[in-house]
Amino acid sequence: STTAAGLGKLLRGRGENTDGLIVRTVIPVSTRAEDQHYTYGNMIGAMVAELPVGERDPWKRLEMVQKCTRKAKQAKQPAGVDFVAQAGEFLPASLIAIAGRVAAMQPMYSLVVTNVPGPREPLYFVGGKLEDAYFFGPNLVERTDLAVAVLSYNGELNFGLTADRYRVPDIAVMASGIAEALAELSAR
């Protein structure tokens, strides 16, 4: 919801009309089962969600995001990426290559948003306390100009914004929109 608010502020700052605007977002998620927590290797899927960028009411925006992500989780949407990875074990390489090319041509989403839970207590190294920790999102791929990575650390949320500097030179506007949205939600 805060990312939607920040993106809305960015777009309105560019003079764009955001009324009713919904932005498709890919969210990397862990597909690791409870009994696999201490196993090696990545087990990551992707969930596509819709961010209500045009919604200005912080509580309504939060409700809309929760409803959308809950629906995507119930649909078991994250399994898709793992299926393609596992399909390589029994499908011919030529079919996997064709599927990859078709998927790459699809404008499935405009933004990548990821959330990584970090340590709840402060970390120390050689007696020095780690004050803040930031996570920067996945590398940007073609047709995706922006990634937002949220990392919780020691009771705080830190946002790392990665943007194409030529296409999103005004990323600071989005950052201030995210900060304002967090303040709105915290004030209640």
Side-chain angles (χ1 to χ4, degrees):
S1 131
T2 55
T3 299
L7 187 56
K9 182 175 181 172
L10 173 79
L11 294 173
R12 286 187 294 277
R14 293 177 173 184
E16 296 188 33
N17 179 7
T18 62
D19 293 343
L21 180 62
I22 301 292
V23 173
R24 293 192 73 184
T25 305
V26 68
I27 303 169
V29 294
S30 173
T31 57
R32 193 176 302 276
E34 283 294 321
D35 63 340
Q36 297 173 320
H37 276 297
Y38 298 102
T39 59
Y40 293 104
N42 290 328
M43 297 179 129
I44 299 171
M47 178 174 72
V48 176
E50 296 178 340
L51 290 183
V53 172
E55 180 56 57
R56 294 185 190 218
D57 179 275
W59 296 101
K60 188 170 182 185
R61 188 176 53 241
L62 179 60
E63 183 181 310
M64 292 169 75
V65 169
Q66 288 173 333
K67 183 178 178 181
C68 176
T69 55
R70 193 177 310 118
K71 184 177 176 182
K73 287 176 185 176
Q74 289 171 346
K76 303 271 190 248
Q77 201 187 86
V81 173
D82 278 348
F83 170 77
V84 173
Q86 293 168 2
E89 296 176 14
F90 58 88
L91 289 179
S94 58
L95 286 179
I96 296 295
I98 291 169
R101 284 193 296 275
V102 168
M105 294 184 326
Q106 301 299 316
M108 294 174 55
Y109 55 87
S110 305
L111 173 70
V112 176
V113 179
T114 188
N115 176 10
V116 178
R120 294 180 181 176
E121 297 81 25
L123 298 177
Y124 295 85
F125 181 72
V126 192
K129 179 183 174 186
L130 177 64
E131 295 295 329
D132 289 305
Y134 291 88
F135 172 61
F136 288 89
N139 292 336
L140 299 177
V141 294
E142 193 174 337
R143 293 182 314 276
T144 304
D145 300 328
L146 182 60
V148 178
V150 184
L151 176 67
S152 59
Y153 170 68
N154 194 24
E156 295 183 0
L157 288 178
N158 294 321
F159 288 73
L161 305 178
T162 306
D164 179 315
R165 68 179 176 167
Y166 299 109
R167 296 182 72 176
V168 192
D170 47 354
I171 192 67
V173 175
M174 182 170 177
S176 70
I178 289 172
E180 291 166 9
L182 282 170
E184 286 177 324
L185 292 172
S186 298
R188 190 173 199 201

